Amino acid sequence: MRMQLAMRWSMALLAPLALVTACYSASSYKGDGTLVDHGSRYWAKRYEVNLGSIDLAQPREWHFRAAGLPAREFVLGVIPDASDCSLLDSTVSILFEVKDEQGSSVIREEQPLRKLTWEKVLGHECKSPFGYVRGQAKEMPARNGDVSMQPIVTGADCGRGTYFSSRPAGIYEITIAVRVEGQSLPEAHMAKVVLKDDGANAKSCRK
C-alpha cells in the first residue's frame, strides 16, 4: 500500500511538468544552433541547445541568439572539446551575458575558468565537462528548524549566476567574451556554448 501511495505521489508531481512540456515542439526554436529534445522520458535535462563554438584561447566576443525556447529553467555554460584537465585550472576569464528582447539584463557573470562550477562525468572528469556559474544564495530558515539556501535573483527572468527562466515569446541575445590576461593558452581550445535544461519549469519573476 505504501509503495502504491508513493508511486501515485510521484506521478502527481510529474503530471504538471508533463503538461507543460507536452505542447512544446523543438521546431518552435528559432535561434542559433540546434535545440535537441531528448524526449518525455527525461523529466529533467530534457532540452539542450548547442549554440555554437568558441575558442577559449582567443580574446574576442561571440554573439548568439536564442528564441522560441520552452518555458523551462536553463543554465548557460561551455563544454571544452579537448580532454585537458589543465584547462579547468586556467586563469583565462570568460564572460556570460544574456539580454532579453527589451534590452534588460538577464545574466551577466565573468569568472576565470578555474572558478567556474564544472559538472563532470564520474570516472571521466576531463571528458566534456560542463562549466557554468552557480550564482549566490542566502540562508533561509525552514519549517523544521533547518536552513535552506535561497538563490539570489540578480536579473530579469529570474536570472542568477548563468541560470534563467526562459519565456517561449522571449528573444535572448547572448554574448560570450574571452579575456586572456597573463596566462594564455598555448594553442586553440575549442568549446561549445550550450544552454542546458535544468529540469525545472520556468519561474515567473521580472526584475
Side-chain angles (χ1 to χ4, degrees):
M1 180 63 71
R2 289 183 179 178
M3 183 175 294
Q4 290 177 343
L5 289 173
M7 291 179 64
R8 289 177 184 174
W9 177 247
S10 297
M11 292 177 66
L13 288 175
L14 293 177
L17 179 58
L19 289 173
V20 169
T21 56
C23 299
Y24 181 80
S25 170
S27 62
S28 299
Y29 180 70
K30 304 301 180 185
D32 291 324
T34 305
L35 182 145
V36 175
D37 181 353
H38 294 292
S40 57
R41 67 185 183 278
Y42 288 90
W43 66 271
K45 302 185 185 301
R46 174 172 176 173
Y47 302 101
E48 184 172 311
V49 185
N50 181 352
L51 290 164
S53 295
I54 64 172
D55 183 356
L56 294 173
Q58 182 69 31
R60 57 165 287 192
E61 288 187 359
W62 290 263
H63 299 277
F64 306 96
R65 181 174 177 270
L69 290 166
R72 302 282 285 169
E73 184 174 65
F74 280 91
V75 55
L76 174 66
V78 291
I79 302 177
D81 292 345
S83 299
D84 182 1
C85 278
S86 64
L87 187 65
L88 310 189
D89 294 323
S90 173
T91 59
V92 169
S93 290
I94 185 167
L95 168 72
F96 300 94
E97 184 173 41
V98 177
K99 292 185 177 180
D100 65 13
E101 68 280 4
Q102 297 175 1
S104 299
S105 177
V106 178
I107 62 175
R108 193 181 193 284
E109 293 283 349
E110 183 170 356
Q111 297 284 351
L113 294 177
R114 62 185 177 84
K115 288 192 175 181
L116 297 182
T117 297
W118 291 98
E119 185 180 281
K120 304 172 184 178
V121 178
L122 186 62
H124 301 276
E125 287 78 7
C126 300
K127 184 179 180 181
S128 301
F130 177 63
Y132 62 98
V133 180
R134 189 180 300 278
Q136 297 182 340
K138 59 183 177 181
E139 293 185 352
M140 297 292 290
R143 291 182 179 179
N144 59 2
D146 291 338
V147 174
S148 63
M149 300 304 293
Q150 180 71 33
I152 298 175
V153 172
T154 57
D157 290 339
C158 302
R160 58 181 181 88
T162 55
Y163 290 82
F164 69 98
S165 290
S166 61
R167 291 171 290 109
I171 302 173
Y172 299 98
E173 301 296 334
I174 299 169
T175 299
I176 305 293
V178 172
R179 323 281 195 198
V180 180
E181 298 178 4
Q183 179 193 356
S184 60
L185 300 173
E187 57 187 15
H189 281 273
M190 303 306 294
K192 298 181 183 68
V193 179
V194 177
L195 280 170
K196 282 195 174 188
D197 171 6
D198 193 48
N201 289 332
K203 302 175 181 64
S204 178
C205 59
R206 300 289 291 172
K207 188 175 179 68

